[in-house]
Amino acid sequence: MNEKINVGIVEDNEELRKNLKHILELLGEFHIIFSLDDGSKVMDCLKQGKIPEVILMDLEMPVQDGIQTTRLVKENFPDVKVLIHTVFDDKSRVFDALRNGADGYLLKGEKPRKMLESILQIKEGRLPMSPNIASKALAFFKESDISQTTKIEEYKLTKREMSVLERLCLGSAYKQIADELFISERTVNSHVNNIYKKLRVNNAISASNIASKNKWFQ
């Protein structure tokens, strides 16, 4: 039997928060490690050792919003994945969320199955998004001057990191990368974290954009 995925919920709408918790627990694949009504409470939970693998994060909250909270989570607990779950689909919010480390962006109008698939995809190292969000994110990154550098040597990526990055650009999950390179998923995760630090990004889409813009992989 597979181990349950530890999930944290951060949502200020009480009814929606309870519904999300109920749906996830009903499936039997997820364990809710915390359920909070504001982003200001997240860091306390993490520092107390309540560390989920994935956080389902609302954007608009009264004390501390989801973007601020995502940034703090990724700065202090980079292995924790953050899936934005919001009604807002404007390009600036999408970009701010991804720039601050969000690992996925899902609209609240999506069916429950999509949300559940997205949590599993994030766990696998993918970057799930609602369809219209993905197009806006890609368009924004193409318009943005994320990297001024065209020489890959300046980033000091190792050959192994380049191999991992190339597969990330193709949309491969961590398990697939591990199988292809004959390494463990934990090692893949370590390489990905190193890649993000060297490229000064927080997620796969930003890293892929730099590689694409500089034509590292043809």
Side-chain angles (χ1 to χ4, degrees):
M1 182 178 178
N2 293 330
E3 292 185 7
K4 292 184 179 181
I5 298 174
N6 291 325
V7 175
I9 299 172
V10 189
E11 168 60 58
D12 68 334
N13 183 304
E14 183 178 3
E15 183 177 358
L16 178 55
R17 188 172 65 252
K18 288 180 178 178
N19 286 341
L20 288 172
K21 185 174 186 292
H22 176 70
I23 290 170
L24 292 174
E25 288 180 333
L26 196 62
L27 286 170
E29 295 182 48
F30 304 99
H31 171 63
I32 308 304
I33 203 164
F34 60 69
S35 180
L36 307 173
D37 62 1
D38 192 79
S40 62
K41 302 175 182 179
V42 173
M43 289 306 296
D44 285 341
C45 281
L46 297 181
K47 289 175 181 177
Q48 291 168 13
K50 299 176 182 178
I51 304 176
E53 295 166 84
V54 180
I55 297 178
L56 201 59
M57 181 81 71
D58 189 19
L59 279 187
E60 283 289 305
M61 291 179 283
V63 180
Q64 182 172 290
D65 66 29
I67 290 176
Q68 286 179 287
T69 307
T70 296
R71 184 178 68 250
L72 288 171
V73 169
K74 301 304 284 191
E75 286 175 351
N76 294 278
F77 297 88
D79 290 341
V80 176
K81 306 295 183 182
V82 178
L83 174 59
I84 299 298
H85 189 230
T86 182
V87 296
F88 298 103
D89 65 351
D90 54 288
K91 196 159 60 173
S92 61
R93 288 181 193 261
V94 174
F95 179 70
D96 282 344
L98 295 174
R99 186 179 60 185
N100 282 281
D103 299 285
Y105 200 108
L106 200 63
L107 295 177
K108 287 182 179 178
E110 297 282 2
K111 294 180 180 179
R113 179 179 294 276
K114 174 68 175 177
M115 179 186 66
L116 304 175
E117 289 175 351
S118 296
I119 293 174
L120 294 172
Q121 287 172 353
I122 274 189
K123 179 70 166 52
E124 294 173 350
R126 298 180 185 273
L127 200 152
M129 294 183 184
S130 296
N132 61 323
I133 294 298
S135 61
K136 289 179 180 180
L138 289 171
F140 204 107
F141 277 120
K142 286 179 181 178
E143 294 168 5
S144 303
D145 189 14
I146 293 179
S147 172
Q148 298 291 335
T149 302
T150 57
K151 295 181 180 178
I152 193 170
E153 292 79 13
E154 293 189 25
Y155 289 108
K156 295 181 170 56
L157 294 175
T158 66
K159 289 184 178 180
R160 178 64 82 188
E161 288 165 355
M162 286 295 295
S163 295
V164 171
L165 177 57
E166 183 174 14
R167 286 161 175 79
L168 277 181
C169 292
L170 295 173
S172 299
Y174 286 13
K175 185 180 187 307
Q176 183 179 351
I177 296 173
D179 291 343
E180 290 178 359
L181 297 179
F182 303 102
I183 55 180
S184 68
E185 288 186 58
R186 183 183 294 273
T187 300
V188 171
N189 188 66
S190 177
H191 284 314
V192 170
N193 286 335
N194 287 336
I195 290 167
Y196 290 172
K197 288 177 184 176
K198 290 180 180 181
L199 298 185
R200 298 180 292 281
V201 299
N202 291 303
N203 51 51
I205 195 169
S206 299
S208 298
N209 184 71
I210 290 177
S212 175
K213 181 176 180 177
N214 292 323
K215 300 179 180 179
W216 291 344
F217 310 115
Q218 299 298 327

